[in-house]
Amino acid sequence: MPKKIAPQFIVHPKTVIEDASAAEKPLSSGDKEKDRAEAARLAAAIGEQQQMLYAGRKHKVLVILQGMDTSGKDGTVNDVFASVNPQGIRIANFKAPTAIELAHDYLWRIHEQVPVAGEIAVFNRSHYEDVLITRVHDWIDDKECKRRYRQINDFERMLAETGTVVLKLFLHISKDEQKARLQSRIDDPNKHWKFAPQDLAERKFWDSYQKVYQNTLHATSTPHAPWYVVPADSKPHRNLVVANIVLETLQKLKLKYPDPKPELKKLKFD
Amino acid sequence: MPKKIAPQFIVHPKTVIEDASAAEKPLSSGDKEKDRAEAARLAAAIGEQQQMLYAGRKHKVLVILQGMDTSGKDGTVNDVFASVNPQGIRIANFKAPTAIELAHDYLWRIHEQVPVAGEIAVFNRSHYEDVLITRVHDWIDDKECKRRYRQINDFERMLAETGTVVLKLFLHISKDEQKARLQSRIDDPNKHWKFAPQDLAERKFWDSYQKVYQNTLHATSTPHAPWYVVPADSKPHRNLVVANIVLETLQKLKLKYPDPKPELKKLKFD
């Protein structure tokens, strides 16, 4: 049994969110091409696992992606799940809530999108925005924030107990790396569409975000729904980390195709 | 301040579900016509409260109706909410789950239907079926049942904490009364559509249902989502009880129309 890679990235009581760790590359071979090939191999293996997940219609898999603007949430979806049959995966993007969403509890629109048996659902942002941006801007106070931590833990525990594997990934970039990525969105006309002036406004709250992220990861990383911190300054390395975590999580389910039906062999038809 | 009527019906540690109490009529004046008039007055008052609830768009009200077959869930909706503007109320009937519902956690379809701000939602059956019929027929064991009690309490607490008043009513009829009502569905051709042979099959499990109901009421009656036991052998009296509980619950919210806007008086238009 090869040593597991994922556990080293799980949030633990001493986890600190600071710029320095965003650039770490513990999984890199030092050779970019080799790393790319390995990430592609992992993506293919995830695709194979998902076929069995889909055939079995038993487990549900929920992958939650969080991170600062430009941290690579879209890119991760694109790269890591490239080989997955689109029929068995669904990406849910959670933007600013609509009026009808705001008129419900904040978990309402989240629960609606949880995966069905046999499916992988990837949340690009999630209910965690309701304890992140809201807390950074003091739209909620500490007491309400802690209440939401409890509500979120209860909710995710229920999902886990009813057959959903919940996997939460924080894509961790440094402030300098964000600067470079924002600049490239301005410099490259083909990336203009990705640039939102709002991102610059939020960037002013960088330190506050790091602190609130850290608090949130500590309060909501649980055995049934652990948080992983993914060093994400390097995109190829980020893909390696995410792909390993996703693949190892799927492998733990010991997925296989449902039992063959010998009686099928006897069927005759023209 | 007149004495409150609702509290006497709240489930307490000594509450026993037995046939004898189904026929009690503590609210009756002894005069049927007078009782009907009082129920109509209460229904009208509920309608007025709901107008303010709708105008304020702040609170959400969830009324959960449970009870044995023929216990009067449909009739209660019809009678007690007769004066409510249909725009501010929504009835959700939970039948046997569909394939897509079964492929999710059992709270998924429930959460989808919770009330929006300003709305009253009435659940005709609910997630409680997932600890009632399922437990009676041993589709789930005691351990799973207790786990669901916890999940349900967590879920309802989250609803309460996010602005939903949760009100749960057990319409309590006796076995003899059910017999009479089933018989009348057979005798009256206009009621044939209400009769389901399945009801006779379930009736065989009467004692088990009473026991499982009692366990469930005790395990899930909480300060944020109390259970009320409504003696329901008498329909007019049942309406009196339900209407009083609903009205008093709404009155506790101290609803009023949003503050007037004096500037509106100055508007001129032709």
Side-chain angles (χ1 to χ4, degrees):
Chain A
M1 195 81 177
K3 202 174 163 300
K4 290 276 179 285
I5 289 168
Q8 66 187 290
F9 299 103
I10 293 185
V11 167
H12 55 80
K14 291 187 176 169
T15 298
V16 176
I17 302 303
E18 57 190 358
D19 273 18
S21 54
E24 287 172 6
K25 296 201 269 183
L27 300 193
S28 177
S29 67
D31 177 336
K32 255 192 182 169
E33 279 319 302
K34 236 173 130 181
D35 287 356
R36 284 221 171 81
E38 171 66 1
R41 187 191 70 78
L42 294 165
I46 289 171
E48 283 165 30
Q49 290 285 319
Q50 184 273 341
Q51 284 283 62
M52 293 186 282
L53 185 82
Y54 187 75
R57 304 277 168 103
K58 187 179 162 204
H59 299 283
K60 310 149 194 172
V61 176
L62 173 57
V63 180
I64 294 176
L65 293 177
Q66 284 286 158
M68 300 294 288
D69 295 322
T70 78
S71 62
K73 298 181 287 296
D74 297 300
T76 300
V77 170
N78 208 24
D79 298 339
V80 175
F81 298 101
S83 303
V84 171
N85 181 341
Q87 202 155 221
I89 193 167
R90 189 166 38 79
I91 318 299
N93 282 278
F94 292 97
K95 309 280 187 188
T98 64
I100 195 77
E101 287 168 351
L102 281 174
H104 286 91
D105 64 89
Y106 65 98
L107 291 171
W108 181 73
R109 64 175 184 160
I110 304 297
H111 203 165
E112 189 185 22
Q113 299 281 354
V114 297
V116 73
E119 190 180 51
I120 299 175
V122 181
F123 285 5
N124 187 333
R125 301 190 187 273
S126 65
H127 45 299
Y128 283 97
E129 293 299 326
D130 295 289
V131 288
L132 290 164
I133 186 171
T134 49
R135 185 70 198 95
V136 165
H137 293 292
D138 274 326
W139 301 334
I140 62 171
D141 63 14
D142 232 32
K143 195 182 154 200
E144 172 63 15
C145 191
K146 279 178 183 151
R147 193 158 81 163
R148 292 188 184 186
Y149 288 156
R150 173 178 46 69
Q151 291 165 345
I152 288 171
N153 287 339
D154 287 343
F155 172 64
E156 292 176 355
R157 180 168 54 175
M158 183 277 294
L159 291 180
E161 287 174 342
T162 53
T164 305
V165 176
V166 184
L167 193 59
K168 302 182 291 196
L169 303 169
F170 170 58
L171 303 185
H172 177 34
I173 57 168
S174 65
K175 198 175 180 187
D176 282 348
E177 178 65 20
Q178 190 191 51
K179 186 180 181 180
R181 293 186 185 183
L182 285 172
Q183 190 62 53
S184 86
R185 288 183 180 184
I186 291 169
D187 295 344
D188 180 349
N190 285 341
K191 288 187 182 170
H192 277 186
W193 66 276
K194 284 190 183 181
F195 183 80
Q198 178 59 19
D199 293 354
L200 293 186
E202 289 302 316
R203 178 171 163 83
K204 293 205 170 74
F205 295 91
W206 184 273
D207 292 343
S208 177
Y209 266 108
Q210 304 302 297
K211 186 168 156 282
V212 170
Y213 256 113
Q214 185 171 310
N215 292 345
T216 300
L217 299 185
H218 282 291
T220 60
S221 190
T222 57
H224 56 263
W227 270 110
Y228 295 84
V229 179
V230 178
D233 272 3
S234 153
K235 292 175 188 177
H237 185 265
R238 170 202 76 203
N239 290 345
L240 272 182
V241 176
V242 173
N244 270 293
I245 295 171
V246 171
L247 182 59
E248 287 182 2
T249 303
L250 291 168
Q251 284 168 338
K252 262 196 284 188
L253 297 175
K254 302 200 181 306
L255 298 167
K256 54 188 183 65
Y257 286 100
D259 288 337
K261 302 172 182 171
E263 67 272 22
L264 290 190
K265 290 279 191 187
K266 292 174 204 151
L267 286 181
K268 286 190 196 305
F269 48 96
D270 50 37
Chain B
M1 196 81 176
K3 201 173 165 300
K4 292 276 179 283
I5 289 167
Q8 66 187 288
F9 299 102
I10 292 185
V11 167
H12 54 80
K14 290 186 178 170
T15 298
V16 176
I17 302 303
E18 56 190 1
D19 274 17
S21 54
E24 286 172 5
K25 296 201 270 183
L27 300 192
S28 177
S29 67
D31 177 337
K32 256 191 183 172
E33 279 318 302
K34 237 173 129 181
D35 287 356
R36 284 223 171 80
E38 172 66 0
R41 187 190 70 77
L42 294 165
I46 290 171
E48 284 165 30
Q49 291 284 320
Q50 184 273 342
Q51 284 283 62
M52 293 186 282
L53 184 83
Y54 187 76
R57 304 279 167 102
K58 189 182 161 201
H59 300 283
K60 310 150 196 172
V61 177
L62 173 57
V63 180
I64 294 175
L65 292 178
Q66 284 286 157
M68 299 295 289
D69 295 322
T70 79
S71 63
K73 297 181 288 295
D74 296 300
T76 299
V77 171
N78 209 24
D79 298 340
V80 174
F81 299 101
S83 303
V84 171
N85 182 340
Q87 201 154 220
I89 193 168
R90 188 166 39 79
I91 318 298
N93 283 277
F94 292 97
K95 309 281 187 187
T98 64
I100 195 76
E101 288 168 351
L102 281 174
H104 285 93
D105 63 272
Y106 66 97
L107 290 171
W108 180 73
R109 64 175 185 162
I110 303 297
H111 203 164
E112 189 185 22
Q113 299 281 353
V114 297
V116 72
E119 189 181 49
I120 299 176
V122 181
F123 285 4
N124 187 334
R125 303 192 186 271
S126 66
H127 45 301
Y128 283 98
E129 294 298 327
D130 295 290
V131 288
L132 289 165
I133 186 171
T134 49
R135 184 71 198 96
V136 165
H137 293 292
D138 274 325
W139 301 334
I140 61 171
D141 63 14
D142 233 31
K143 195 183 155 198
E144 173 62 16
C145 191
K146 278 178 183 152
R147 194 158 81 163
R148 291 189 185 185
Y149 288 156
R150 174 178 46 71
Q151 291 165 345
I152 289 171
N153 287 339
D154 288 343
F155 172 64
E156 292 176 354
R157 179 167 56 174
M158 183 277 294
L159 292 180
E161 287 173 343
T162 54
T164 305
V165 176
V166 183
L167 193 60
K168 302 181 291 195
L169 304 168
F170 171 56
L171 304 185
H172 178 33
I173 57 168
S174 64
K175 197 175 180 186
D176 282 350
E177 179 64 20
Q178 190 192 52
K179 185 181 182 180
R181 293 187 186 183
L182 286 172
Q183 189 63 53
S184 87
R185 288 183 180 183
I186 291 167
D187 294 344
D188 181 348
N190 285 341
K191 287 187 181 170
H192 277 185
W193 67 275
K194 283 188 183 184
F195 183 80
Q198 178 59 19
D199 294 354
L200 293 186
E202 289 302 316
R203 179 173 164 81
K204 294 205 170 72
F205 295 91
W206 184 272
D207 293 343
S208 177
Y209 266 108
Q210 305 301 296
K211 186 168 157 281
V212 171
Y213 255 113
Q214 185 172 309
N215 292 345
T216 299
L217 300 184
H218 282 292
T220 60
S221 190
T222 58
H224 56 262
W227 270 111
Y228 295 84
V229 178
V230 178
D233 271 3
S234 153
K235 292 175 188 176
H237 186 264
R238 170 201 77 202
N239 289 345
L240 271 182
V241 176
V242 173
N244 269 294
I245 294 171
V246 171
L247 182 59
E248 287 181 1
T249 303
L250 290 168
Q251 284 167 340
K252 261 196 283 186
L253 297 175
K254 303 200 180 306
L255 299 166
K256 54 188 185 63
Y257 286 99
D259 287 338
K261 302 172 181 171
E263 68 273 22
L264 289 190
K265 290 279 192 189
K266 292 173 202 151
L267 286 181
K268 287 190 195 307
F269 48 95
D270 51 33

